[in-house]
Amino acid sequence: MGKNLERLRQRLAQIYDINAAANLLEWDQQTYMPPGGADERAYQLATLRRLAHELLVSDETGEALEAARQEVADPDSDSDEARLVWRTGHEYEKSRKVPGEWVSEFNRTTSLAHATWQEARAEADFGRFAPALRNVVELRRQYVSFFAPYDHPYDPLLDDFELGMKTAQVQAVFDALRPRQVALVKAIAEHGSAVQDDFLHQPFDEGKQWQFGLEIAQRLGYDLQRGRQDRSAHPFTTSFGLGDVRITTRLDPNDLTVGLFATLHEAGHAMYEQGISPSLARSPLADGASLGVHESQSRLWENLVGRSRPFWQAFYPRLQEYFPEQLGEVDLERFYRAINKVQPSFIRVEADEATYNLHIMLRFELEQALVAGDLAVADLPLAWNEKMQDYLGLTPPDDAKGVLQDVHWSAGLLGYFPTYALGNLVAAQLWARMAGDIPDLEAQIAAGELSPLLGWMREHVHRHGAKFAPAELVRRVTGNDLTPEPYLDYLQSKFGAIYGL
Ligand code: ZN
């Protein structure tokens, strides 16, 4: 590696270290920190994030980047060096456009908005959250203006999470998806045979739930020598380096599926990061390609694997050993149908596979309207409820089960939601490709053999880290651009069979 590239790498490694330390503080905040730590922790996090931002946008980084660029022999090649300069260049140029004052103001406003949102949600009182949300939306509109000109005001937001993706592309994909997903949900409601899942909702010992979840996560390939699991209110994955990738879960003493599928989901995220090539450590490339690609990994293990019949052929007997009283008399087929029950519901995170993306489309449309200035914050609950009725045929009983349910807007995360739906599509597209490469994939899974699957992901997706933009990665691995067809085929064949359509 040339001298200038080395200089750039050292600088980026320092930025990485500061962010990793901040991640650790955040992990602690959500797992073990006593409530009294909140105020000072907010300052500590703000200080570290600001330091990382200042290091990144400094003239020294700009000079190091420029000098390193001269040293890269072929900037279009797939080499770690060329890719590092490309990804860093994008982050550097984007961050340089954002004034430091805006960064502090945004952090302060969202930290206050988050606390207000928690109170408002607890009391199902949108009016209480509205002024804080107005501030957040205003700041986000300002943020967008730093990147003018753009095709669509939503583009700069989307790009933060899904590098290179345009609003129009997401819109086109969703337009193709929506009518067929709505038709499927309607067909299930009108003609589907009944699915009974009452046995999932009864007391399940939390200690055993915990143990079973961890056992399964390790069978998938989650390495506890380089990870661990703890409890938190909202499950998440975080990393402090490639050798320490942690997950959290939550347990419901009366619902087996809450903790189990959260663990499978987060283990999917974590295995992605554990699989990144060590050559990319302590650099901006030691990360997923995008949030959408990250979500493709979590949703793949949670749903395409974790809610499949072959998977439970392998692991259901073990689950019955853990819970003989609750599941001893329930056969595999009934269990499989129960964990795949389709039922339009109010809450996104509890939605089944057939309805999930509809929750995302609703948020995508409302966010675009907010950012474009076409929808006032005060009118948001009404707009939300109208779209819920359109897409899912439901009207929330109150705003806690409606417009106040998600944490994202209070944290200023506009442009984030589409990545969840994109993750579902990418997962199905990768799966179709993998099934071509591993012809006996289902038989392997039914035998409890998951290493061929993980090996394929490691080789084609994980090891590259953030070397490729998401669209480029999908094209490289599958030979096609992102398309909803594999996902729609998957839904149709799975739920058509379950519901006898
Ligand atoms: Zn996720």
Side-chain angles (χ1 to χ4, degrees):
M1 192 183 288
K3 178 169 90 340
N4 290 316
L5 267 162
E6 190 49 50
R7 183 156 67 100
L8 177 67
R9 273 214 69 145
Q10 277 177 18
R11 233 183 140 68
L12 295 174
Q14 285 175 357
I15 297 172
Y16 183 92
D17 294 344
I18 294 171
N19 279 320
N23 289 350
L24 177 55
L25 289 184
E26 268 170 359
W27 171 86
D28 174 69
Q29 183 173 36
Q30 296 193 53
T31 49
Y32 296 107
M33 188 187 79
D39 279 356
E40 286 150 307
R41 182 59 52 88
Y43 282 113
Q44 293 153 9
L45 281 164
T47 300
L48 288 179
R49 297 290 183 203
R50 200 191 57 231
L51 277 175
H53 177 82
E54 282 169 359
L55 263 178
L56 175 64
V57 301
S58 67
D59 293 341
E60 289 89 331
T61 300
E63 283 154 21
L65 178 64
E66 206 34 57
R69 197 171 267 147
Q70 308 303 323
E71 263 177 23
V72 172
D74 176 5
D76 297 324
S77 86
D78 292 349
S79 71
D80 290 358
E81 290 77 15
R83 291 287 150 172
L84 181 73
V85 166
W86 161 76
R87 176 73 74 161
T88 305
H90 182 82
E91 282 180 24
Y92 172 79
E93 268 131 43
K94 212 169 169 185
S95 303
R96 284 275 278 197
K97 292 188 173 151
V98 182
E101 305 87 75
W102 185 91
V103 175
S104 339
E105 180 64 11
F106 179 73
N107 275 295
R108 206 182 59 86
T109 303
T110 51
S111 133
L112 293 173
H114 180 74
T116 312
W117 166 75
Q118 280 179 319
E119 294 160 13
R121 190 175 70 149
E123 289 161 26
D125 180 3
F126 181 78
R128 191 155 171 181
F129 180 48
L133 182 57
R134 252 196 306 274
N135 293 339
V136 171
V137 170
E138 213 27 69
L139 278 165
R140 272 313 190 187
R141 282 164 55 83
Q142 230 176 60
Y143 179 82
V144 164
S145 72
F146 302 146
F147 302 97
Y150 34 71
D151 298 337
H152 192 292
Y154 196 75
D155 282 349
L157 297 172
L158 185 62
D159 180 84
D160 279 354
F161 308 108
E162 214 54 35
L163 196 159
M165 182 76 79
K166 296 278 187 254
T167 307
Q169 290 172 289
V170 176
Q171 191 66 59
V173 169
F174 284 5
D175 285 346
L177 200 58
R178 185 170 37 232
R180 285 179 60 187
Q181 265 203 270
V182 169
L184 175 67
V185 174
K186 201 160 168 247
I188 290 171
E190 287 171 3
H191 313 296
S193 43
V195 166
Q196 186 212 9
D197 68 345
D198 52 339
F199 52 84
L200 295 176
H201 307 282
Q202 56 173 319
F204 288 89
D205 178 80
E206 292 195 13
K208 287 192 197 169
Q209 285 195 51
W210 181 267
Q211 234 181 310
F212 181 73
L214 261 188
E215 181 182 322
I216 293 294
Q218 289 177 86
R219 287 295 296 269
L220 303 182
Y222 179 45
D223 178 3
L224 288 184
Q225 291 303 309
R226 297 188 293 145
R228 56 177 283 132
Q229 178 174 266
D230 294 270
R231 287 178 85 145
S232 66
H234 302 283
F236 65 94
T237 300
T238 185
S239 72
F240 323 130
L242 300 180
D244 191 352
V245 186
R246 302 188 188 186
I247 63 174
T248 68
T249 194
R250 63 175 158 206
L251 299 175
D252 181 334
N254 295 305
D255 186 341
L256 176 68
T257 59
V258 171
L260 176 57
F261 289 108
T263 295
L264 297 186
H265 181 100
E266 301 307 330
H269 280 302
M271 289 189 291
Y272 185 6
E273 303 221 354
Q274 287 186 336
I276 294 171
S277 166
S279 67
L280 307 177
R282 291 178 74 219
S283 85
L285 302 183
D287 198 353
S290 71
L291 286 189
V293 176
H294 232 301
E295 198 66 9
S296 79
Q297 297 304 299
S298 56
R299 302 287 287 181
L300 185 134
W301 290 99
E302 177 193 356
N303 293 326
L304 283 84
V305 176
R307 289 184 209 266
S308 74
R309 192 185 280 109
F311 180 76
W312 289 107
Q313 279 168 353
F315 296 105
Y316 190 55
R318 186 73 181 131
L319 182 63
Q320 286 178 308
E321 277 174 33
Y322 270 89
F323 300 107
E325 272 171 47
Q326 295 91 332
L327 299 173
E329 302 297 313
V330 177
D331 67 28
L332 171 65
E333 200 52 32
R334 276 175 69 206
F335 178 76
Y336 167 69
R337 291 165 63 85
I339 58 171
N340 285 295
K341 184 174 183 172
V342 173
Q343 194 162 44
S345 60
F346 300 116
I347 305 293
R348 173 186 61 85
V349 295
E350 292 167 6
D352 55 76
E353 286 182 90
T355 56
Y356 187 90
N357 285 348
L358 300 174
H359 291 264
I360 298 304
M361 291 173 197
L362 171 155
R363 288 157 175 76
F364 175 57
E365 288 166 18
L366 294 177
E367 286 189 342
Q368 285 181 69
L370 284 172
V371 171
D374 296 336
L375 175 65
V377 165
D379 299 330
L380 195 52
L382 189 63
W384 179 286
N385 292 354
E386 279 175 9
K387 285 203 186 291
M388 275 301 281
Q389 193 59 48
D390 273 4
Y391 287 173
L392 290 153
L394 299 171
T395 300
D398 58 48
D399 288 338
K401 288 199 162 57
V403 69
L404 285 173
Q405 66 181 269
D406 295 303
V407 64
H408 302 62
W409 292 342
S410 76
L413 296 172
L414 282 86
Y416 189 114
F417 282 118
T419 68
Y420 291 123
L422 297 174
N424 285 329
L425 307 191
V426 172
Q429 204 169 330
L430 290 173
W431 188 276
R433 178 64 213 232
M434 180 171 54
D437 288 354
I438 313 175
D440 60 345
L441 181 61
E442 291 208 352
Q444 301 251 23
I445 295 172
E449 221 4 284
L450 296 160
S451 53
L453 197 171
L454 181 59
W456 191 94
M457 283 298 161
R458 290 262 193 266
E459 167 67 20
H460 295 277
V461 179
H462 299 178
R463 71 186 171 95
H464 300 304
K467 280 176 73 171
F468 304 107
E472 193 183 354
L473 183 73
V474 168
R475 212 175 307 122
R476 281 175 67 101
V477 180
T478 70
N480 288 308
D481 289 328
L482 177 72
T483 155
E485 292 306 321
Y487 185 66
L488 284 165
D489 292 346
Y490 160 76
L491 286 183
Q492 217 88 42
S493 90
K494 178 174 182 177
F495 292 99
I498 290 175
Y499 281 94
L501 299 175

